[in-house]
Amino acid sequence: MSIQSHIEWTDATWNPVRGCTKISPGCKHCYAETFAERFRGVKGHPYEQGFDLRLVPSKLQEPLRWKAPKMIFVNSMSDLYHEGVPDAYIESVVDVMIEANWHTYQVLTKRSGRLRQLLNGRLRFAGDQGHIWWGVSVENKQHGLSRIDDLRASPARVRFLSIEPLLEDLGTIDLSGIDWVIVGGESGYAARPMQKHWVTSIQRQCAQNRIPFFFKQWGGRQKSKTGRLLDGRTYDEMPTQQPTTPLSFSEPPEAVTQNRMSD
Ligand code: SF4
């Protein structure tokens, strides 16, 4: 969508696909749908077709034009693994990520079965890339925990969880093979509330397993007021950067992103 992002855990967004369909309770107040539908019917606007799924091949080359290294959230306005996106198109997106390897890419999906299938098959070559981080969304036990199992079964150098909007206590989570955890509450007019002990339980499990933990927000009707302090501090931990092997860069090595693990 744009080179700038207001999302706390990334620098930029890139949307070679637009639009999506809802798949689980975490989608109920999808911010992408709300944004896109505001522009349905507006002639010439990128979201003239609202939130209808469509490929945007004209956007494919965008990261190659961004010369400064960035943390890029792939498809903030869609789900790359949506059933309406052909395998060949997903592969084209991955090819660009591999070519523009001075950036770090965060690929997040709720369609974890397809992620698992493709990373074990046609996209097997992409799992070795340390600058491509693969993640799944988790909002509750029923829909979210099996996505973690799918992610763990996907060959990848960096795996992450976006636990947002957190809708219930997830209990004990199997975090083996997971490299990063983001947690956040829902925001907006009808936001579903998140209880503190749901968050601290996950934070504690991350600390026990030495997994970087990023607390994005409490959320609520006015997220700027509820903020993102947890027990008086912010949690902005990021994964240790994994070098891609073999090391081959389309840009000078100094362009590779730095290690941003904190604590
Ligand atoms: S999968 Fe993501 S983009 Fe698609 S409807 Fe759900 S929340 Fe929105």
Side-chain angles (χ1 to χ4, degrees), residues 182-197:
I182 303 163
V183 172
E186 191 165 52
S187 58
Y189 181 74
R192 292 162 283 183
M194 177 175 70
Q195 293 186 28
K196 183 182 173 186
H197 70 94

Side-chain angles (χ1 to χ4, degrees), residues 64-119:
L64 291 162
R65 294 195 288 272
W66 298 341
K67 295 305 175 194
K70 292 194 172 297
M71 190 76 71
I72 299 175
F73 179 20
V74 181
N75 279 322
S76 64
M77 296 293 291
S78 182
D79 186 332
L80 182 63
Y81 290 96
H82 189 284
E83 49 279 13
V85 182
D87 286 357
Y89 193 79
I90 297 174
E91 191 168 346
S92 302
V93 173
V94 170
D95 285 344
V96 172
M97 292 194 275
I98 288 176
E99 191 177 350
N101 63 4
W102 53 96
H103 302 302
T104 301
Y105 299 89
Q106 299 156 320
V107 185
L108 182 61
T109 187
K110 285 190 176 73
R111 275 87 176 171
S112 57
R114 194 171 182 206
L115 168 81
R116 176 179 181 163
Q117 178 210 337
L118 285 176
L119 277 185

Side-chain angles (χ1 to χ4, degrees), residues 19-24 26-33 51 75-79 82 108-111 137 165:
C20 193
T21 49
K22 295 183 177 185
I23 187 171
S24 65
C27 299
K28 185 173 182 186
H29 301 132
C30 172
Y31 72 90
E33 179 192 38
F51 203 44
N75 279 322
S76 64
M77 296 293 291
S78 182
D79 186 332
H82 189 284
L108 182 61
T109 187
K110 285 190 176 73
R111 275 87 176 171
S137 298

